[in-house]
Amino acid sequence: MQTGGMVNVNMKLSQPQQLRSCANARLPARPAARTAAALRASSGNGVASANGASANGTGRRLVLEDPPLVSEEVSALMAEQGITDLEKSGLLYLSNDARARALAKKAAKPEKIKNEKGGHMMWSEVGELGQMIRKGDMSWEDLALDDIDIRLKWSGLFHRRKRAPGTFMMRLKAPNGELTAKQLRFLAGCIEPYGEKGCADITTRANMQLRGVTLGEADQIMQGLVEHGLSSVMSGMDNVRNMTGSPIAGIDPHEFLDVRPLNYALNDMITNFGHGNPALTNLPRKINIGLSPSRDDFPHTHINDVGLVACKDPATGEVGFNVELGGYFSIKRNATSIPGETFLAVDQVVPYCKALLEVFRDYGARIDRQKARLMWMVEDMGADKFRELVGEYMGGVTLRKGVHLKYDDVWARRDVLGVHPQKQPGFVWVGACVPAGRLFASDLRDFARVCEEYGDGTIRLTVEQDVIFPNVPEASVGAMRAEPIFQKYEIEPGNLTRGMVSCTGAQFCGVAIIETKNRAMAIVRKLEEQLDIPKKVRMHWTGCPNSCAQAQVADIGLMGGPARLDGKAVEGVRIFLGGTIGEGAALAAEFEKGIPCEESILLPMLRELLIERYGATPKAGVLAGAA
């Protein structure tokens, strides 16, 4: 039936696998330490979290709007390309203009894959596939390449075809980086059966990735995630990545507000309380959103597509958020965010982000994949037009212009490692360094026991790949320091170790040009053995120009790239210097390229940089030119 040039497609949405909200109730092990729920309630920001409702089994869901009717133009394009099932297609919730761009002959290849079958279909199919594999009816090799290598990413499953065929990295959703002891023990049980291939990595979005997962067990792990208040849906491909905030949210004496309720509410809105949200799952590219509640800018808003920076309106004293837009790294372009010329009240944050994602979905580029990130659209429209359009999608809201901020002092970004007093009298947080973010099953269990015994039964992950234990009574710090786990993951690490960040590297990632994690730990250890380093130096190792480890924000950034040694191609790095974070953040500049990773070459070069630029001195008995 046609009405006004539109094709009325009568259908029901398929029921995705029922995943509860990632925002599980965080119950304390120690009544003396204020619970996370109580801290949220006391934050006074007026945002109701769906946390408790999801955790107690009410199974909350969003009421999704009906998909747009299909225009005659789009209907003809679909028929021409043999697309007959709109419900199955990723075109379902796109505007007709976006559908036309996705169906264009010059559309990027991922658009054509999504047109044929959207990644949202895998939310239910992964369970069916797991059952068939366990019964022996099929193996992972029987799957279509687009399903196993691309569409499963919508379920958080990343096939490691090049490095470990038949195994997957599973990316979770952990808003604000919070995990409970019970969740940690469950995750330990997930990776333990996989032996050397089974490990967990903390990511630069304060998230967790599990390695070694096989498709025959993936659906069971996903169900276990549900039962433990976690999920993995919408964590890869053209979706919103993990919501980041502050690892010390709610306990920070210097925060403007506690952003955890906002991060939980945003996660629930984006993922439909973890069930999967087909209306927001086919964006032109991925989106990173970070909420900064203090002047430290712990989530690095300047390199997020959407950065919300907490501040007080100088005119009214109201706490809200200035919007920054467009920060991102890619092979073709690296950009810091620009002013979004918008100030949001706290209760506008979730509606604003929802509308922004819908605008990006409907107006974003789908032809050139390299120009499909949010920055390109904002630059094309201009910040004022973009603000107006988002306001229209919010129901005709006139959004306020951003407020001008001027501080009389210089704010140095704080280091959260070590022992620090909370704003709650008598309590501290304890930050432990996890070099390169790599953890194993026994580590997760040790963290679970320690956070229950000394804290409130939770931990916080950081974007620097470290771990925070909140709500520790001051009187317990001595005993906590003596725990064996902190001999491995130090509370007061060296000034180079405490600043080390690393991507996955070639050990598991097929895109990486070089091995990173193991090499980074070995080189940093040797540098600290040879040098006295007077202050923290942030050294980031990233395996390729995608820069998952954010080499451009580091004091010293190392990025995998081509190099030659004795006339032969070898693993090499480009070196970046001078990245800054916090207020007035700036990207590092390229210093050298084509440097072989051979330790006899790279180690002396890094040593000299530390001496010349960061005040390091050779230790007694160690010559400045030692290998």
Side-chain angles (χ1 to χ4, degrees):
M1 182 178 79
Q2 295 184 2
T3 306
M6 298 291 183
V7 178
N8 187 357
V9 181
N10 186 16
M11 67 183 71
K12 293 182 179 179
L13 297 181
S14 60
Q15 296 296 318
Q17 183 179 8
Q18 296 200 356
L19 299 178
R20 295 182 203 159
S21 168
C22 302
N24 186 36
R26 275 82 173 164
L27 299 178
R30 301 177 61 86
R34 298 176 69 187
T35 70
L39 291 173
R40 285 194 295 273
S42 68
S43 64
N45 62 17
V47 179
S49 171
N51 205 27
S54 296
N56 66 22
T58 58
R60 298 182 66 179
R61 285 178 182 264
L62 300 173
V63 177
L64 300 179
E65 298 177 2
D66 291 334
L69 296 177
V70 179
S71 68
E72 292 181 345
E73 176 193 6
V74 169
S75 180
L77 288 170
M78 290 175 61
E80 180 182 316
Q81 297 179 28
I83 300 171
T84 59
D85 189 342
L86 183 61
E87 180 182 359
K88 175 182 174 183
S89 171
L91 298 167
L92 180 61
Y93 272 94
L94 302 188
S95 68
N96 279 299
D97 284 344
R99 287 167 175 165
R101 289 194 301 278
L103 289 162
K105 291 182 179 180
K106 294 184 178 179
K109 182 180 178 180
E111 295 300 324
K112 300 179 187 299
I113 292 171
K114 292 185 291 182
N115 293 344
E116 179 186 356
K117 176 183 176 183
H120 67 283
M121 295 297 295
M122 305 310 295
W123 300 337
S124 56
E125 287 186 15
V126 68
E128 300 168 7
L129 295 172
Q131 292 179 23
M132 294 173 67
I133 289 173
R134 289 192 295 275
K135 290 179 180 178
D137 294 339
M138 66 173 296
S139 69
W140 68 268
E141 291 98 331
D142 298 323
L143 287 179
L145 288 178
D146 288 343
D147 276 352
I148 193 168
D149 289 343
I150 299 176
R151 295 189 187 97
L152 276 172
K153 293 177 182 178
W154 269 263
S155 295
L157 291 165
F158 293 70
H159 187 211
R160 304 293 82 178
R161 179 178 293 277
K162 185 174 181 180
R163 307 298 184 191
T167 70
F168 293 79
M169 176 269 284
M170 178 181 279
R171 182 183 293 154
L172 309 184
K173 288 274 194 178
N176 210 84
E178 286 195 287
L179 292 170
T180 68
K182 184 177 180 182
Q183 290 167 346
L184 289 168
R185 292 190 179 97
F186 171 72
L187 298 180
C190 291
I191 61 176
E192 194 166 44
Y194 302 121
E196 293 182 357
K197 294 181 180 180
C199 59
D201 287 338
I202 304 172
T203 77
T204 51
R205 293 206 64 77
N207 198 7
M208 192 76 81
Q209 296 180 163
L210 308 181
R211 301 197 178 279
V213 176
T214 63
L215 192 55
E217 287 132 1
D219 64 313
Q220 296 174 330
I221 293 176
M222 290 178 69
Q223 181 57 39
L225 292 173
V226 171
E227 294 166 359
H228 289 81
L230 294 168
S231 81
S232 61
V233 297
M234 297 177 68
S235 60
M237 279 300 289
D238 301 336
N239 290 283
V240 183
R241 295 299 190 263
N242 195 50
M243 293 301 310
T244 56
S246 166
I248 52 174
I251 60 177
D252 179 5
H254 298 288
E255 66 186 359
F256 289 101
L257 78 170
D258 182 352
V259 294
R260 288 176 297 166
L262 287 169
N263 271 330
Y264 298 138
L266 282 165
N267 184 72
D268 288 340
M269 177 272 293
I270 291 165
T271 68
N272 189 13
F273 295 92
H275 297 282
N277 184 351
L280 294 178
T281 199
N282 186 2
L283 304 177
R285 286 293 299 271
K286 72 173 182 178
I287 284 272
N288 292 323
I289 302 177
L291 278 66
S292 176
S294 72
R295 292 175 65 184
D296 303 89
D297 193 13
F298 288 120
H300 302 320
T301 55
H302 68 298
I303 55 172
N304 275 254
D305 299 271
V306 183
L308 305 182
V309 181
C311 58
K312 285 186 179 181
D313 184 339
T316 66
E318 176 189 5
V319 172
F321 293 89
N322 267 345
V323 177
E324 297 180 354
L325 297 171
Y328 81 102
F329 294 150
S330 76
I331 292 176
K332 296 292 186 180
R333 181 185 182 188
N334 300 308
T336 55
S337 58
I338 62 176
E341 304 295 351
T342 304
F343 178 82
L344 300 175
V346 172
D347 61 4
Q348 290 180 311
V349 167
V350 176
Y352 173 85
C353 289
K354 178 177 182 292
L356 179 148
L357 293 173
E358 291 169 341
V359 168
F360 183 49
R361 176 195 66 195
D362 292 347
Y363 287 82
R366 294 180 183 267
I367 304 298
D368 185 344
R369 188 82 170 163
Q370 292 300 324
K371 295 182 179 180
R373 290 293 289 269
L374 182 69
M375 176 64 97
W376 296 87
M377 189 178 74
V378 174
E379 287 178 331
D380 185 54
M381 285 187 180
D384 288 336
K385 174 61 178 176
F386 184 78
R387 181 184 65 253
E388 294 170 4
L389 186 56
V390 173
E392 291 177 17
Y393 271 63
M394 291 172 68
V397 174
T398 300
L399 292 167
R400 284 179 282 178
K401 294 272 286 186
V403 302
H404 177 68
L405 299 176
K406 183 178 180 180
Y407 295 109
D408 295 330
D409 60 338
V410 176
W411 187 267
R413 189 177 189 267
R414 291 169 290 167
D415 185 350
V416 296
L417 296 183
V419 179
H420 303 270
Q422 298 182 180
K423 66 182 178 182
Q424 294 81 15
F427 291 91
V428 299
W429 79 78
V430 178
C433 181
V434 181
R438 176 61 51 81
L439 295 166
F440 298 91
S442 60
D443 301 323
L444 297 175
R445 291 196 176 96
D446 282 338
F447 284 167
R449 179 186 60 80
V450 167
C451 76
E452 285 180 331
E453 187 169 339
Y454 298 98
D456 66 358
T458 70
I459 66 168
R460 315 275 187 88
L461 309 178
T462 79
V463 298
E464 282 80 26
Q465 303 175 313
D466 296 317
V467 173
I468 304 297
F469 296 82
N471 297 311
V472 176
E474 290 177 346
S476 300
V477 172
M480 185 175 177
R481 282 184 181 274
E483 287 286 344
I485 189 64
F486 297 122
Q487 305 306 307
K488 182 177 182 180
Y489 302 117
E490 298 177 84
I491 294 172
E492 299 291 351
N495 280 330
L496 201 54
T497 297
R498 72 192 305 129
M500 182 172 64
V501 171
S502 175
C503 75
T504 300
Q507 181 181 3
F508 292 112
C509 179
V511 179
I513 300 170
I514 65 169
E515 164 55 18
T516 54
K517 286 189 185 291
N518 295 315
R519 175 177 281 129
M521 289 187 282
I523 286 183
V524 164
R525 182 174 62 251
K526 291 184 178 181
L527 287 169
E528 288 190 332
E529 288 171 352
Q530 297 173 9
L531 300 173
D532 285 318
I533 304 169
K535 61 182 180 180
K536 178 179 177 179
V537 178
R538 297 174 301 105
M539 184 180 289
H540 291 212
W541 294 71
T542 196
C544 76
N546 286 317
S547 203
C548 293
Q550 303 165 350
Q552 294 92 336
V553 306
D555 294 315
I556 302 175
L558 298 104
M559 177 184 292
R564 300 191 72 82
L565 181 61
D566 297 330
K568 296 181 180 180
V570 296
E571 289 189 348
V573 292
R574 298 161 62 190
I575 298 179
F576 295 80
L577 296 179
T580 60
I581 53 178
E583 288 186 348
L587 298 185
E590 187 170 46
F591 173 70
E592 291 280 4
K593 62 181 179 180
I595 305 300
C597 288
E598 170 64 39
E599 194 170 289
S600 63
I601 297 173
L602 184 57
L603 187 65
M605 178 174 285
L606 293 175
R607 185 171 56 244
E608 291 305 312
L609 285 173
L610 289 168
I611 292 172
E612 293 175 5
R613 294 176 178 255
Y614 299 100
T617 55
K619 287 187 175 180
V622 178
L623 297 176

